[in-house]
Amino acid sequence: MPVRSAFQIPNKAVPSEGGVGVPVTLSLATKQTDSGDLTLEQTSGVIGFVQSVYIDNSANAAVLTLTFPGTQQNITVKGKTQGYYPVMPFTGTFSWNAASTGAVNVPIIFTNVRFEAAQWATA
């Protein structure tokens, strides 16, 4: 049996920079995928790691999938919903991939503090 891969997580996951949110707009209006990272924010000390994400998929009738390559975690968000979603924190550059068949931009906010999972319909 092959050895399973492992990844480091921040010790006790308490942000030394205090509670921080970084707003991002997923550019899905002209294409069905988008990706990015927080390299600049992490190297400048704005945010050390991510523990939650707020996703506003209210303008999108389609499902949105957000994937984090560092942990292989997937978050699937129903169309016409908003919510808070826990993210497994890990050490290293935080990055994401997003996909949706809806042709809209989706605002999200990555936070370094934990929010309990919650999702609500907007239409």
Side-chain angles (χ1 to χ4, degrees):
M1 174 190 265
V3 175
R4 292 183 176 93
S5 63
F7 54 90
Q8 290 185 325
I9 61 172
N11 190 17
K12 297 190 182 183
V14 176
S16 61
E17 63 273 4
V20 174
V22 177
V24 172
T25 299
L26 301 176
S27 300
L28 301 168
T30 58
K31 56 188 187 234
Q32 294 182 338
T33 62
D34 191 18
S35 62
D37 62 46
L38 295 181
T39 301
L40 181 60
E41 292 82 0
Q42 287 181 285
T43 58
S44 64
V46 171
I47 191 168
F49 53 88
V50 172
Q51 294 193 88
S52 299
V53 61
Y54 166 76
I55 301 174
D56 182 355
N57 203 32
S58 62
N60 188 2
V63 169
L64 169 74
T65 302
L66 198 57
T67 304
F68 307 109
T71 60
Q72 299 304 307
Q73 179 184 5
N74 291 321
I75 296 175
T76 302
V77 182
K78 295 178 182 178
K80 301 292 185 185
T81 64
Q82 297 173 326
Y84 294 100
Y85 305 89
V87 174
M88 172 63 77
F90 64 94
T91 303
T93 301
F94 181 80
S95 63
W96 66 88
N97 297 310
S100 179
T101 57
V104 299
N105 290 332
V106 177
I108 65 175
I109 302 171
F110 291 114
T111 70
N112 65 351
V113 293
R114 292 187 305 167
F115 282 87
E116 296 299 319
Q119 184 180 55
W120 54 94
T122 59

